[in-house]
Amino acid sequence: NSRNDKVTEWRGEAYSKIDSEMLILSTENNTIQLNKYAEDGLVKYGQGFIDFEQSSCGIYTNCMASIICNGKSKVYSISIKNLQNYPKSIKLDLILKITMGVDREKQNL
């Protein structure tokens, strides 16, 4: 995801909401989008990473996105904890809107 060779529009900054990468957690009855804008969520920013926590539908999640390889790659580290006293099946999806360059709109995608 280097500046000119990005696969998606992701930027490691606090002020823009970009929907080109979405993490979706699904249980039997609920769908939760894991993101830094979650109500009652906690967000921490640092050089080269964003770390956000949230609790929803009886599930606690902690997700850290980090830049590696001199900004050329990104890694997600995700922790999930069931806060309720019964087992749940959980599915995690990563949805990417491909850019293949600096800006998706300029690529007419």
Side-chain angles (χ1 to χ4, degrees), residues 9-67:
E9 287 185 75
W10 183 86
R11 291 189 296 269
E13 60 180 67
Y15 304 107
S16 60
K17 185 172 183 179
I18 300 169
D19 67 350
S20 63
E21 298 182 10
M22 293 179 283
L23 283 164
I24 307 293
L25 187 141
S26 303
T27 66
E28 298 88 357
N29 302 317
N30 299 292
T31 300
I32 305 160
Q33 183 172 346
L34 306 182
N35 65 49
K36 63 184 178 183
Y37 301 101
E39 187 175 317
D40 298 325
L42 174 66
V43 182
K44 298 178 227 170
Y45 297 98
Q47 186 171 353
F49 78 90
I50 181 172
D51 185 21
F52 49 94
E53 313 178 8
Q54 71 186 73
S55 292
S56 181
C57 303
I59 299 171
Y60 165 82
T61 58
N62 177 266
C63 179
M64 179 182 277
S66 305
I67 302 298

Side-chain angles (χ1 to χ4, degrees), residues 50-109:
I50 181 172
D51 185 21
F52 49 94
E53 313 178 8
Q54 71 186 73
S55 292
S56 181
C57 303
I59 299 171
Y60 165 82
T61 58
N62 177 266
C63 179
M64 179 182 277
S66 305
I67 302 298
I68 61 171
C69 299
N70 295 320
K72 294 181 181 179
S73 300
K74 180 172 49 173
V75 174
Y76 283 107
S77 174
I78 302 166
S79 299
I80 301 169
K81 182 178 180 181
N82 182 0
L83 300 175
Q84 297 176 322
N85 291 328
Y86 56 89
K88 292 184 179 185
S89 294
I90 295 175
K91 177 182 160 191
L92 184 65
D93 292 304
L94 173 62
I95 300 169
L96 302 174
K97 294 181 182 175
I98 304 301
T99 298
M100 301 307 288
V102 176
D103 191 354
R104 180 173 69 219
E105 287 78 24
K106 291 178 184 173
Q107 301 295 324
N108 295 320
L109 296 176

